[in-house]
Amino acid sequence: MPVYDFAITVRTQYLPEQSHPDRTQHVFTYTITIKNTGSVAAQLISRHWVITDANNKVQEVSGLGVVGHQPLLQPGEQFEYTSGTQLETSQGSMVGEYFFVAEDGHRFEVKIPEFVLSLPHALH
């Protein structure tokens, strides 16, 4: 029985040198590792993000692949990439999903767990 499963881990970073709090511009990067923990090779086809700032302003982003790639991951393989976003507030969150097609043609999605974007030491 095939297993379609991926583990998603996220690291975030605030970029003070690219941010302008006086103009309500806060820039963050996030590095995501996508690991195929299932038993079938699968290709990441597209992504969907919901980005929410501290004022509950929501941006939705969808598109093909991630940073120009549509990686095909064999069981046990992983792919890591870094991307970024800009918020009007110094804190926010992101959540979403990746859409995959397995080698056997099965289509499935993998939830990206919600993660927080915040200034260092902004959370207590």
Side-chain angles (χ1 to χ4, degrees):
M1 188 86 183
V3 176
Y4 308 98
D5 195 33
F6 280 76
I8 311 294
T9 55
V10 183
R11 294 187 319 274
T12 64
Q13 185 176 359
Y14 178 68
L15 300 182
E17 66 281 0
Q18 292 183 29
S19 298
H20 302 281
D22 53 322
R23 288 184 270 167
T24 64
Q25 294 175 342
H26 300 274
V27 178
F28 298 88
T29 63
Y30 50 91
T31 299
I32 298 191
T33 304
I34 304 163
K35 182 172 184 178
N36 186 343
T37 55
S39 64
V40 180
Q43 184 173 18
L44 191 157
I45 300 300
S46 64
R47 73 200 181 285
H48 173 247
W49 288 109
V50 177
I51 307 164
T52 308
D53 73 12
N55 294 328
N56 284 322
K57 180 180 175 188
V58 175
Q59 305 172 62
E60 288 202 48
V61 179
S62 295
L64 291 177
V66 289
V67 295
H69 297 277
Q70 291 182 314
L72 172 63
L73 299 173
Q74 300 294 326
E77 285 186 337
Q78 65 183 33
F79 180 80
E80 183 176 277
Y81 73 95
T82 299
S83 190
T85 192
Q86 180 177 300
L87 301 179
E88 292 179 3
T89 60
S90 63
Q91 196 169 321
S93 66
M94 291 179 64
V95 66
E97 53 267 335
Y98 294 125
F99 299 95
F100 287 87
V101 175
E103 227 171 28
D104 61 11
H106 179 73
R107 296 173 178 273
F108 62 100
E109 70 179 52
V110 173
K111 297 288 184 197
I112 305 162
E114 184 172 25
F115 57 92
V116 172
L117 302 165
S118 72
L119 290 155
H121 313 296
L123 293 177
H124 296 285

